[in-house]
Amino acid sequence: MVPGEENQLVPKEDVFWRCRQNIFDEMKKKFLQIENAAEEPRVLCIIQDTTNSKTVNERITLNLPASTPVRKLFEDVANKVGYINGTFDLTWGNGVNTADTAPLDHTSDKSLLDANFEAGKKNFLHLTDKDGEQPQMLEDSSNVDDSVHDRFIGPLPREGSVASTSDYASQSYSYSSILNKSETGYVGLVNQAMTCYLNSLLQTLFMTPEFRNALYKWEFEESEEDPVTSIPYQLQRLFVLLQTSKKRAIETTDVTRSFGWDSSEAWQQHDVQELCRVMFDALEQKWKQTEQADLINELYQGKLKDYVRCLECGYEGWRIDTYLDIPLVIRPYGSSQAFASVEEALHAFIQPEILDGPNQYFCERCKKKCDARKGLRFLHFPYLLTLQLKRFDFDYTTMHRIKLNDRMSFPEELDMSTFIDIEDEKSPQTESCTDSGAENEGSCHSDQMSNDFSTDDAVDEGICLESSTGSEKISKPGLEKVEMAEADQRKDSIQFQLGEPNSLMYELFSVMVHSGSAAGGHYYACIKSFSDDQWYSFNDQHVSRITQEDIKKTHGGSSGSRGYYSSAFASSTNAYMLIYRLKDPARNAKFLEVDEYPEHIKNLVQKERELEEQEKRQREIERNTCKIKLFCLHPVKQVMMENKLEVHKDKTLKEAVEMAYKMMDLEDVIPLDCCRLVKYDEFHDYLERSYEGEEDTPMGLLLGGVKSTYMFDLLLETRKPDQIFQSYKPGEVMVKVHVVDLKAETVAAPVTVRAYLNQTVAEFKQLISKATHLPADSMRIVLERCYNDLRLLSMPSKTLKAEGFFRSNKVFVESSETVDHQATFTDSHLWKLLDRHANTIRLFVLLPEQSPGSYSKRTAYQKAGGDSGNVDDDCERVKGPAGNLKSVDAILEESTEKLKSLSLQQQQDGDNGDSSKSTETSDFENIESPLNERGSSTSVDNRELEQHIQTSDPENFQSEERSDSDVNNDRSTSSVDSDILSSSHSSDTLCNADSTQIPLANGLDSHSITSSRRTKANEGKKETWDTAEEDSGTDSEYDESGKSRGEMQYMYFKADPYTADEGSGEGHKWLMVHVDKRITLAAFKQHLEPFVGVLSSHFKVFRVYTSNQEFETVRLNETLSSFSDDNKITIRLGRALKKGEYRVKVCQLLVNEQEPCKFLLDAVFAKGMTVRQSKEELIPQLREQCGLDLSIDRFRLRKKTWKNPGTVFLDYHIYEEDINISSNWEVFLEVLDGVEKMKSMSQLAILTRRWRPSEMKLDPFQELVLESNSVDELREKLSEISGIPLEDIEFAKGRGTFPCDISVLDIHQDLDWNPKVSTLNVWPLYICDDGAVIFYRDKTEEVMELTDEQRNELMKKESSRLQKTGHRVTYSPRKEKALKIYLDGAPNKDVAQD
């Protein structure tokens, strides 16, 4: 390039052409290489990753030139899958070269052809572990820049975060990654759910040489203790695994199990300092009488003096306290400025305060109140110094816990010698007290810490001892005085610590960090290893190197990096606990080497290694095991059995058949050679293919490899010894052929044939003809494409695919020479028979134990009405051509004999028909029959039958009716069949199955209330969801014209006696009923009348579910379409509900009883009935069934919602007009103390209860009736009934469900007393209906002063009372669960402890 005339750079001509030529030469060279490569044969390599290094095993395909060296193949595979080359093996797959199982050499320069690869074909390879170790990910390799790991600190970042490391940003990270040990050499701990606080403390203890070595020296005696509940032993095992395991992370479940925790504890986050104290207490208890009995005190315990010195005479009183950690405040109380450093906070901790003014101290020497100085002095610092930074506080402005994220620096080396001051010890006026060490062990607290939220907690925290005694819980003694000689002993101890220079220099080695807010967050630990002086971040599973700069980021403040809750809580990652170790070469220990381990630790190491190897082998087996669903149709029971077949991928098909044969327990049923495995689609019930000639093929190849799920199943197919297996080829469709016999009206069991979709209907007929031996010429084939969708295959040239065949199909064939062929298909006998077959279900009906016969009476009804039909003929037509009349006749004869004998007995006793009108038998009152119009004899017979039912066994009948209620007594809803609310087949699609209808028995009219009620109900009828006819609780058995709905259409019904299996109601009368499920419940009940022995209106139908719960089926115009084969039905005697009637549960409201809701009985209410009329009908039932003799004005009915009393029903209210009523209805019956005060709907009935704080008790409930919703009226009424002056009345609304129970320890401060509102129907009261609970009190009444003993005793009583009523009780403002360690391995069930 040279400058031009206008100072522009232009290319030289020769340089330009030279560059252009070079480009052309390079392009030509590339083209030649491509051309040569195109001519060279290529090798297709398909590599399946079979390791567990990734969540999803990849399958990659490489198309390489045949001359490619094997070494280059490994490199390409490594780049594709993201593994480090040389950390995995490639072995031949099952596709080709199955004989050569040795792994390929990743350093070989052989070409692919020389290494036995085949050009132009698929070459299957498996990527496997190398020497039992899983492949290393490229992101985990040691040659990656460690600065990425060094910069990482904090909890696991979100995906895509700038602070995320490669381990966690990688999509391949999964639980399986814990199988690979971190490159740091340290092992992480798995977070069970919210156990990060535990993991941080355990890693800190593990990295403390003195603690780990002492733990190793302790020997577990299995004969003395269960290893599962031994905390030291489980910690010992955990430390051994942390030191020797090859995994990335290990579980802590064994440790938490030794604490006595269950899985729910894993979801409770606790304070790490709290855990440290509780764990140390537990270890001390476990190590009693051992060499390690004083280990915690030797390592962590310090001593301080709590003193008060008179400023006038110099007299001083003091006591000695011990501590395990020093709590340092972040901000002084009332200040907005935080301490800048730990040193400042320590100085503030020992800074004395002056007691003056009203806080003056009474001096024993001066005998008066004097100004004094109160403070703390450190006497002894522990070897391991623990500092807790009190970052959690309570904001009294917002009344919430907060976290203080202010910056507080801490040094790597801390000189504690400046914090011991012995100046005051030289004064002759100083007096001391005895050392209270053991009694006061724990965290020390000064008066300066009064703003700490934790001091307000009333939760009992700590270890739970089964045999703990009172001596172990000694309260701190007061300030005492002793002789000055004991003070000299203390001075000697202080002088010893100050004797040598730098004797109190501490070095930082653990920082436990909290990231988050006071509501929750995450803990992790930054720990310095004493082996290499390197800092590491122990963040649950992840362990990484960090630097001193990362430690400085945990000081807090705005300069820190964003933490776990990056957007909402900036700079919320900061240090919470610091642990320093005294720099003393004489005491500083190193970790024990392997050869220095005690013998029992060596044995434990060996044991854990063997367990880990065994686990690894088991994982390898699991990884190579095919797990697939297995089905088998039992050759004898003809029941489809299901199981899961787990077979190793290298097992052959023959071995898999033998495993399946044994799994299905067929050894004693058929020989092994009569079984085989075939590919099966369970969803379509389709046999996809068989495996002829592949008995020695590995299952991994047959199933397409080891997969988590398969798109198909396996069927263990069986045959008879004289049969041969049919070959199933892919592409075939399976057809189940049912042969229909029109004469016998039967449908045979299916015969399976296989066809192709491109076959014609004519060819398909020939195929079926061979299988069924039916003539093809006259054959009719009907395809059932879906439920009840029948299609006649009438076009011989049409293919099966065009006709709608799929994988699995069902057809019906018939080949008789009848005129039925000439009829239209939908009018043919064949269609009707198939329609009946598709809609017929089998039900098992349990009859009542004592069924009064009524069959002869029914016969009389029919004859008196001029019906010429014969009873036996009717029964035959009901049963169908294949019915068994003999068994049915036996039942009917028995019922008839019972009726004759009972009727004769009634005549001898002088009974007459008038007894049927007795009001005592409310279940059958006011029942009239339309059959009365047919003749007087019928009416007499009907009344006689009613009389018999009512008087034959009244006690038994009453208990039968009561058992109906008892069945559902534990439910809040009435006993209504919930499964018939919707139906997939409506009754308007029914089809006649016979040209001759069966004359069914007539039912009874649905009169249940007087004519005036019915007229009123019709006049006020509303078409709402719960009052419309189609959604009402019951329906009439007759249509609008008065014709029985059962007579509208013929429906198939066949009943036979049935003997129940053992344990299924043996000894009772059962019927096996085959019935068309499109039949209505009304018609079904009429068919059952001959077998029950009473009219259909006199018995109820209950559906039995799998849990043996029974629910009444009441919707008479609904079909049985919700029922399925083999459902059970129970028949119970009693009047069934009719149209417009509802069965209602009546419960008694007892407001001042421990259980305020008591079930009384089931009653029947109807549309148009007034509340007073329902009360009139309830009175005799209450007298007979419940022993309650009440007058109509002495009780009321009111709404019941769960357990809450609601609206009071007035006598003139009408059901369905003023009161919505539904099938799921319950009401309260409340006995009144006096005259009913509720007269109008504008009034409001409120339940009030007085709280007496001076006596710590609640008065019984009293009801107030307000004329309006005014608060002033409420206050006036409360003042009137209590005598409290109006201006001193305070009230609060109760919380929760009735009776709004609350502890007397909480009621005074927990409720929202005296809300500033003028009406009751606004927030926060929202009292708009009857039944609200109001507590009130006298604001001038003081709360009773309770001693600790009285409070504890009252707490126990209240806890017991509230637990009995099902109400939860808490006595602490702290909501989280207290942290406890149970030394016996199980929680203490004592109520007081809870």
Side-chain angles (χ1 to χ4, degrees):
M1 306 284 283
V2 295
E5 294 180 357
E6 297 180 359
N7 293 329
Q8 292 182 353
L9 294 176
V10 296
K12 281 187 176 181
E13 204 169 306
D14 56 344
V15 175
F16 173 77
W17 288 107
R18 195 182 305 119
C19 291
R20 184 177 179 183
Q21 187 62 39
N22 289 338
I23 293 173
F24 284 153
D25 291 343
E26 288 294 329
M27 292 176 64
K28 185 177 180 181
K29 187 177 180 180
K30 293 283 186 184
F31 287 144
L32 288 174
Q33 290 177 353
I34 294 172
E35 186 178 352
N36 294 334
E39 296 175 356
E40 182 181 359
R42 304 187 72 82
V43 175
L44 181 63
C45 302
I46 300 175
I47 301 101
Q48 176 70 48
D49 184 0
T50 62
T51 68
N52 276 338
S53 297
K54 297 184 179 181
T55 308
V56 178
N57 289 343
E58 294 179 305
R59 180 171 182 170
I60 63 173
T61 302
L62 297 175
N63 193 7
L64 303 174
S67 61
T68 304
V70 174
R71 170 179 48 79
K72 185 65 168 60
L73 170 66
F74 273 86
E75 293 174 2
D76 291 345
V77 171
N79 290 331
K80 275 273 191 180
V81 298
Y83 295 150
I84 298 175
N85 192 9
T87 64
F88 60 87
D89 282 332
L90 291 178
T91 60
W92 288 107
N94 291 322
V96 292
N97 297 324
T98 54
D100 188 2
T101 57
L104 300 176
D105 184 5
H106 73 282
T107 62
S108 173
D109 288 324
K110 283 184 178 181
S111 68
L112 297 181
L113 283 179
D114 296 337
N116 296 327
F117 284 78
E118 295 185 40
K121 293 185 178 181
K122 294 180 181 179
N123 296 270
F124 293 93
L125 297 172
H126 283 174
L127 191 154
T128 62
D129 297 339
K130 186 176 182 66
D131 301 328
E133 296 292 335
Q134 289 197 342
Q136 295 181 22
M137 304 292 295
L138 281 174
E139 294 83 357
D140 286 338
S141 61
S142 57
N143 58 3
V144 175
D145 185 8
D146 284 340
S147 62
V148 177
H149 297 289
D150 293 341
R151 286 195 296 272
F152 175 76
I153 183 171
L156 309 185
R158 302 282 190 265
E159 185 176 339
S161 171
V162 293
S164 65
T165 64
S166 55
D167 282 346
Y168 288 87
S170 170
Q171 294 180 353
S172 64
Y173 175 76
S174 67
Y175 179 79
S176 61
S177 65
I178 70 171
L179 303 176
N180 297 327
K181 196 169 185 177
S182 167
E183 71 280 355
T184 62
Y186 290 103
V187 178
L189 294 173
V190 175
N191 190 336
Q192 296 182 37
M194 298 177 70
T195 56
C196 51
Y197 68 99
L198 172 66
N199 293 347
S200 302
L201 180 60
L202 291 176
Q203 292 283 20
T204 297
L205 296 178
F206 172 73
M207 296 295 286
T208 306
E210 292 78 9
F211 186 88
R212 191 203 298 183
N213 296 344
L215 183 65
Y216 281 176
K217 291 178 182 177
W218 175 81
E219 184 173 1
F220 172 68
E221 297 292 342
E222 192 166 357
S223 59
E224 299 179 2
E225 190 177 6
D226 184 1
V228 175
T229 60
S230 174
I231 298 174
Y233 176 68
Q234 293 302 333
L235 282 177
Q236 203 175 69
R237 284 188 63 238
L238 183 75
F239 282 14
V240 165
L241 289 173
L242 285 173
Q243 193 167 353
T244 62
S245 177
K246 295 179 181 179
K247 296 180 180 179
R248 177 181 289 271
I250 57 176
E251 299 279 354
T252 58
T253 49
D254 289 338
V255 174
T256 55
R257 191 178 296 114
S258 70
F259 291 171
W261 295 358
D262 56 22
S263 58
S264 64
E265 292 286 349
W267 295 92
Q268 296 283 337
Q269 188 175 88
H270 294 289
D271 187 280
V272 68
Q273 182 269 342
E274 179 187 24
L275 172 69
C276 183
R277 177 176 60 82
V278 174
M279 184 187 290
F280 283 173
D281 286 346
L283 287 173
E284 283 191 316
Q285 293 293 332
K286 287 288 187 178
W287 276 336
K288 282 183 177 180
Q289 318 259 328
T290 67
E291 185 181 340
Q292 289 75 22
D294 204 35
L295 175 66
I296 301 300
N297 294 337
E298 289 175 357
L299 295 180
Y300 295 94
Q301 181 178 277
K303 293 185 180 180
L304 54 77
K305 181 166 78 169
D306 186 352
Y307 69 91
V308 179
R309 171 174 287 189
C310 178
L311 295 181
E312 294 188 13
C313 66
Y315 172 81
E316 180 178 293
W318 52 273
R319 69 162 182 241
I320 304 298
D321 283 340
T322 61
Y323 62 89
L324 296 179
D325 55 68
I326 302 174
L328 301 179
V329 294
I330 302 296
R331 289 185 205 156
Y333 181 68
S335 172
S336 60
Q337 187 68 31
F339 293 120
S341 65
V342 164
E343 294 92 327
E344 280 190 27
L346 282 168
H347 280 294
F349 186 82
I350 61 175
Q351 180 68 32
E353 63 173 322
I354 302 300
L355 303 179
D356 57 3
N359 295 326
Q360 278 189 324
Y361 164 70
F362 185 84
C363 177
E364 295 288 344
R365 181 171 294 177
C366 299
K367 302 299 181 183
K368 65 174 184 177
K369 286 190 174 183
C370 306
D371 290 351
R373 183 168 61 194
K374 183 180 187 302
L376 300 169
R377 295 192 190 97
F378 288 112
L379 301 180
H380 171 72
F381 289 113
Y383 177 69
L384 297 173
L385 177 65
T386 304
L387 304 179
Q388 182 196 9
L389 309 185
K390 308 288 285 185
R391 292 197 174 272
F392 298 108
D393 206 343
F394 190 78
D395 188 344
Y396 288 95
T397 304
T398 61
M399 300 303 290
H400 286 93
R401 290 185 69 178
I402 59 172
K403 183 184 177 185
L404 303 176
N405 293 313
D406 302 77
R407 177 178 175 80
M408 177 179 278
S409 64
F410 45 87
E412 190 170 1
E413 290 191 349
L414 180 62
D415 186 3
M416 295 297 292
S417 60
T418 59
F419 301 103
I420 290 189
D421 184 8
I422 63 170
E423 185 67 27
D424 292 331
E425 299 295 337
K426 299 176 182 178
S427 171
Q429 305 295 334
T430 301
E431 297 188 7
S432 65
C433 74
T434 57
D435 181 6
S436 61
E439 292 87 350
N440 297 289
E441 184 176 327
S443 297
C444 61
H445 299 276
S446 71
D447 291 343
Q448 298 177 16
M449 308 302 294
S450 59
N451 64 327
D452 175 31
F453 178 75
S454 65
T455 59
D456 297 331
D457 293 343
V459 178
D460 179 25
E461 299 173 351
I463 58 174
C464 291
L465 301 173
E466 282 297 313
S467 58
S468 59
T469 60
S471 62
E472 294 176 0
K473 297 182 180 179
I474 305 176
S475 61
K476 291 188 177 183
L479 297 175
E480 300 173 359
K481 304 181 294 297
V482 295
E483 298 300 326
M484 200 165 58
E486 296 186 1
D488 295 336
Q489 297 177 4
R490 291 293 161 205
K491 284 190 282 187
D492 293 341
S493 172
I494 297 168
Q495 295 290 352
F496 172 76
Q497 287 207 22
L498 294 174
E500 299 179 6
N502 298 328
S503 62
L504 290 180
M505 186 63 70
Y506 284 82
E507 63 176 325
L508 179 69
F509 80 94
S510 177
V511 181
M512 278 171 258
V513 183
H514 182 268
S515 177
S517 69
H522 179 68
Y523 283 100
Y524 61 95
C526 300
I527 306 173
K528 183 175 76 171
S529 170
F530 289 111
S531 301
D532 56 7
D533 287 335
Q534 170 66 47
W535 281 91
Y536 296 92
S537 170
F538 290 84
N539 192 343
D540 291 337
Q541 292 97 325
H542 187 82
V543 184
S544 59
R545 292 184 180 88
I546 56 175
T547 65
Q548 190 64 39
E549 291 301 316
D550 295 318
I551 300 300
K552 291 181 181 179
K553 294 176 184 177
T554 66
H555 290 178
S558 58
S559 61
S561 63
R562 295 196 169 206
Y564 190 63
Y565 299 91
S566 55
S567 59
F569 304 97
S571 305
S572 65
T573 301
N574 33 53
Y576 182 66
M577 271 186 71
L578 310 173
I579 301 184
Y580 287 83
R581 186 175 77 163
L582 183 66
K583 296 184 71 173
D584 184 357
R587 295 187 64 184
N588 294 157
K590 294 183 178 180
F591 296 111
L592 292 177
E593 299 295 336
V594 176
D595 55 352
E596 298 174 334
Y597 285 168
E599 194 62 33
H600 64 276
I601 294 297
K602 292 180 181 179
N603 296 335
L604 183 58
V605 169
Q606 183 63 28
K607 178 182 176 183
E608 294 300 330
R609 280 179 179 167
E610 291 174 358
L611 288 175
E612 192 167 305
E613 287 298 321
Q614 182 179 351
E615 181 185 346
K616 184 177 179 180
R617 289 192 296 270
Q618 186 61 34
R619 268 199 324 268
E620 183 70 21
I621 294 173
E622 288 286 326
R623 195 180 63 189
N624 292 298
T625 299
C626 303
K627 299 178 181 178
I628 187 169
K629 269 187 179 182
L630 175 68
F631 294 89
C632 177
L633 182 65
H634 197 281
V636 177
K637 300 178 182 178
Q638 292 298 303
V639 175
M640 183 65 81
M641 301 181 292
E642 180 181 346
N643 214 321
K644 178 174 278 191
L645 178 64
E646 298 184 3
V647 57
H648 195 276
K649 66 178 184 179
D650 295 333
K651 293 280 187 181
T652 64
L653 176 62
K654 184 178 181 180
E655 294 172 313
V657 170
E658 187 174 353
M659 292 173 61
Y661 175 74
K662 293 178 179 178
M663 186 180 294
M664 292 299 182
D665 295 326
L666 300 179
E667 292 95 329
D668 300 328
V669 181
I670 54 172
L672 177 61
D673 58 2
C674 291
C675 300
R676 69 168 180 176
L677 286 175
V678 295
K679 193 174 181 181
Y680 176 59
D681 181 357
E682 186 256 344
F683 182 78
H684 295 99
D685 192 18
Y686 170 59
L687 299 173
E688 294 192 18
R689 61 159 297 187
S690 54
Y691 300 104
E692 285 83 4
E694 299 186 70
E695 287 77 10
D696 296 327
T697 304
M699 289 298 293
L701 182 60
L702 285 179
L703 300 179
V706 180
K707 300 178 182 179
S708 56
T709 56
Y710 291 90
M711 300 299 293
F712 57 90
D713 313 301
L714 291 178
L715 174 73
L716 184 64
E717 192 179 21
T718 62
R719 63 174 174 85
K720 296 180 180 178
D722 57 344
Q723 293 177 330
I724 60 173
F725 282 121
Q726 184 180 352
S727 177
Y728 307 140
K729 298 178 182 179
E732 295 177 333
V733 294
M734 190 171 71
V735 185
K736 292 185 177 179
V737 180
H738 296 262
V739 177
V740 179
D741 187 341
L742 290 182
K743 293 181 179 179
E745 293 192 343
T746 59
V747 179
V751 176
T752 302
V753 299
R754 294 178 74 84
Y756 290 97
L757 291 176
N758 58 359
Q759 282 182 323
T760 64
V761 173
E763 293 171 339
F764 185 53
K765 285 184 177 181
Q766 295 297 331
L767 183 65
I768 294 179
S769 179
K770 293 179 181 179
T772 61
H773 307 292
L774 295 176
D777 297 338
S778 59
M779 183 181 295
R780 283 187 293 177
I781 302 179
V782 179
L783 169 66
E784 186 180 69
R785 293 190 296 184
C786 56
Y787 171 75
N788 212 24
D789 179 12
L790 304 174
R791 180 190 182 113
L792 180 65
L793 306 184
S794 57
M795 300 183 66
S797 60
K798 214 170 182 181
T799 64
L800 300 186
K801 184 176 182 179
E803 290 286 5
F805 278 69
F806 193 55
R807 287 185 172 186
S808 182
N809 309 272
K810 181 162 69 171
V811 300
F812 300 91
V813 298
E814 187 274 332
S815 192
S816 62
E817 296 286 350
T818 63
V819 294
D820 197 54
H821 284 247
Q822 301 173 4
T824 306
F825 176 59
T826 53
D827 295 329
S828 66
H829 189 192
L830 175 62
W831 186 90
K832 294 177 181 178
L833 183 61
L834 295 180
D835 180 71
R836 189 187 76 184
H837 176 267
N839 290 284
T840 298
I841 56 175
R842 182 176 64 181
L843 302 175
F844 294 100
V845 180
L846 175 62
L847 300 174
E849 292 185 9
Q850 295 182 359
S851 302
S854 66
Y855 189 78
S856 60
K857 300 302 176 188
R858 287 168 47 80
T859 307
Y861 303 160
Q862 293 169 351
K863 291 181 178 180
D867 189 350
S868 59
N870 184 276
V871 173
D872 293 336
D873 293 342
D874 291 343
C875 188
E876 182 178 356
R877 289 159 72 177
V878 167
K879 289 172 54 58
N884 185 353
L885 290 177
K886 183 176 180 180
S887 58
V888 177
D889 285 340
I891 298 176
L892 301 183
E893 185 179 353
E894 180 182 357
S895 299
T896 305
E897 291 300 325
K898 284 184 179 179
L899 180 62
K900 290 180 180 179
S901 60
L902 290 170
S903 300
L904 182 61
Q905 182 180 354
Q906 290 170 12
Q907 293 174 1
Q908 292 174 352
D909 294 340
D911 293 339
N912 55 59
D914 294 336
S915 61
S916 64
K917 299 180 181 179
S918 172
T919 58
E920 302 295 322
T921 55
S922 60
D923 263 357
F924 300 97
E925 64 178 349
N926 296 326
I927 296 180
E928 300 175 4
S929 173
L931 298 173
N932 293 348
E933 301 172 3
R934 299 186 177 182
S936 59
S937 60
T938 307
S939 178
V940 172
D941 291 337
N942 188 20
R943 289 197 300 270
E944 183 182 17
L945 175 61
E946 264 191 329
Q947 177 187 356
H948 160 65
I949 295 173
Q950 295 167 4
T951 60
S952 60
D953 191 357
E955 293 182 2
N956 185 45
F957 185 78
Q958 178 178 329
S959 64
E960 183 74 270
E961 183 67 19
R962 288 285 296 140
S963 65
D964 175 14
S965 303
D966 295 339
V967 171
N968 300 296
N969 196 12
D970 59 335
R971 299 178 59 88
S972 61
T973 60
S974 61
S975 53
V976 177
D977 184 15
S978 60
D979 274 359
I980 330 184
L981 296 178
S982 61
S983 174
S984 58
H985 302 284
S986 74
S987 58
D988 60 355
T989 61
L990 306 182
C991 302
N992 289 327
D994 200 331
S995 58
T996 307
Q997 295 184 357
I998 296 180
L1000 300 176
N1002 291 319
L1004 297 178
D1005 195 4
S1006 58
H1007 293 30
S1008 59
I1009 54 178
T1010 61
S1011 298
S1012 60
R1013 293 185 202 158
R1014 184 168 61 253
T1015 304
K1016 196 156 191 173
N1018 290 334
E1019 291 173 354
K1021 180 178 178 182
K1022 297 180 292 183
E1023 291 295 328
T1024 61
W1025 67 273
D1026 59 352
T1027 60
E1029 180 178 349
E1030 61 270 18
D1031 286 326
S1032 61
T1034 58
D1035 299 285
S1036 173
E1037 295 184 24
Y1038 297 87
D1039 62 10
E1040 295 179 359
S1041 64
K1043 189 175 182 181
S1044 171
R1045 294 177 186 243
E1047 295 179 4
M1048 298 287 289
Q1049 201 131 25
Y1050 166 78
M1051 288 295 161
Y1052 181 76
F1053 180 94
K1054 176 185 175 183
D1056 291 303
Y1058 171 74
T1059 303
D1061 297 333
E1062 185 176 353
S1064 300
E1066 51 183 339
H1068 297 276
K1069 292 181 182 178
W1070 285 87
L1071 287 180
M1072 181 170 64
V1073 176
H1074 292 83
V1075 63
D1076 192 317
K1077 62 183 178 182
R1078 294 169 300 188
I1079 196 173
T1080 62
L1081 177 62
F1084 178 67
K1085 291 181 66 177
Q1086 289 176 353
H1087 283 306
L1088 288 176
E1089 285 182 1
F1091 309 100
V1092 180
V1094 297
L1095 299 174
S1096 61
S1097 58
H1098 288 63
F1099 65 84
K1100 297 173 284 187
V1101 176
F1102 287 83
R1103 184 172 179 177
V1104 183
Y1105 291 86
T1106 52
S1107 58
N1108 287 329
Q1109 287 183 300
E1110 296 182 358
F1111 294 93
E1112 185 178 1
T1113 305
V1114 297
R1115 296 176 180 262
L1116 296 173
N1117 67 339
E1118 294 269 355
T1119 66
L1120 303 185
S1121 56
S1122 65
F1123 287 75
S1124 56
D1125 274 330
D1126 297 338
N1127 278 175
K1128 292 182 180 179
I1129 289 175
T1130 298
I1131 303 298
R1132 296 186 183 278
L1133 297 178
R1135 182 169 69 79
L1137 297 179
K1138 300 176 181 63
K1139 182 179 179 180
E1141 292 186 338
Y1142 301 87
R1143 198 174 302 281
V1144 179
K1145 284 185 176 297
V1146 181
C1147 301
Q1148 186 175 2
L1149 177 63
L1150 304 166
V1151 293
N1152 287 308
E1153 297 293 331
Q1154 183 174 330
E1155 180 51 58
C1157 177
K1158 177 186 177 183
F1159 174 79
L1160 294 178
L1161 50 81
D1162 277 333
V1164 176
F1165 291 178
K1167 290 182 184 179
M1169 179 185 286
T1170 64
V1171 173
R1172 187 173 184 87
Q1173 288 169 337
S1174 63
K1175 289 167 64 176
E1176 289 173 351
E1177 293 197 1
L1178 280 175
I1179 289 175
Q1181 298 178 54
L1182 292 170
R1183 186 186 308 116
E1184 295 170 9
Q1185 300 183 34
C1186 309
L1188 291 177
D1189 192 2
L1190 301 173
S1191 63
I1192 195 167
D1193 296 323
R1194 285 296 307 279
F1195 71 95
R1196 64 158 68 129
L1197 299 180
R1198 65 191 303 168
K1199 183 178 179 180
K1200 179 178 182 291
T1201 307
W1202 185 229
K1203 293 184 178 180
N1204 299 310
T1207 308
V1208 175
F1209 299 148
L1210 304 181
D1211 283 353
Y1212 58 82
H1213 282 166
I1214 300 174
Y1215 297 116
E1216 291 285 29
E1217 291 187 11
D1218 304 308
I1219 303 170
N1220 288 333
I1221 186 170
S1222 63
S1223 300
N1224 307 335
W1225 216 53
E1226 297 177 297
V1227 295
F1228 268 129
L1229 182 149
E1230 184 178 11
V1231 179
L1232 300 175
D1233 295 330
V1235 180
E1236 174 65 82
K1237 299 178 182 178
M1238 290 291 291
K1239 304 295 183 182
S1240 168
M1241 288 298 292
S1242 62
Q1243 294 175 307
L1244 196 63
I1246 292 178
L1247 294 166
T1248 64
R1249 200 171 187 186
R1250 180 172 179 177
W1251 158 240
R1252 299 182 183 271
S1254 61
E1255 304 176 34
M1256 298 295 283
K1257 73 173 187 178
L1258 286 162
D1259 286 353
F1261 277 105
Q1262 287 181 281
E1263 184 180 76
L1264 285 184
V1265 177
L1266 305 179
E1267 300 299 326
S1268 66
N1269 59 3
S1270 168
V1271 170
D1272 292 337
E1273 183 185 357
L1274 172 64
R1275 291 178 180 275
E1276 291 172 2
K1277 291 288 182 71
L1278 291 175
S1279 176
E1280 182 182 327
I1281 64 173
S1282 64
I1284 302 174
L1286 186 63
E1287 62 274 10
D1288 295 334
I1289 288 283
E1290 288 187 337
F1291 70 92
K1293 182 183 177 183
R1295 297 174 183 169
T1297 58
F1298 186 81
C1300 305
D1301 257 333
I1302 186 171
S1303 168
V1304 296
L1305 294 171
D1306 295 336
I1307 187 173
H1308 202 70
Q1309 66 272 6
D1310 275 12
L1311 294 182
D1312 185 11
W1313 289 97
N1314 215 26
K1316 307 300 182 184
V1317 293
S1318 59
T1319 58
L1320 301 176
N1321 59 349
V1322 296
W1323 185 87
L1325 296 177
Y1326 283 129
I1327 299 177
C1328 306
D1329 196 5
D1330 303 326
V1333 173
I1334 292 292
F1335 295 99
Y1336 67 96
R1337 68 185 180 189
D1338 185 346
K1339 70 178 182 180
T1340 62
E1341 189 174 347
E1342 296 292 332
V1343 181
M1344 177 191 291
E1345 293 287 340
L1346 296 175
T1347 64
D1348 289 342
E1349 290 184 3
Q1350 288 175 326
R1351 180 173 292 275
N1352 290 335
E1353 186 65 28
L1354 188 57
M1355 185 184 297
K1356 290 180 181 180
K1357 288 181 179 178
E1358 286 295 281
S1359 176
S1360 176
R1361 178 179 70 86
L1362 294 177
Q1363 284 184 349
K1364 287 178 181 177
T1365 59
H1367 287 74
R1368 185 169 173 266
V1369 54
T1370 56
Y1371 301 108
S1372 169
R1374 182 176 178 178
K1375 300 302 180 186
E1376 59 262 25
K1377 189 176 180 180
L1379 189 151
K1380 296 183 180 182
I1381 292 179
Y1382 305 92
L1383 297 187
D1384 62 340
N1388 192 339
K1389 300 300 183 184
D1390 184 38
V1391 173
Q1393 294 280 352
D1394 294 339

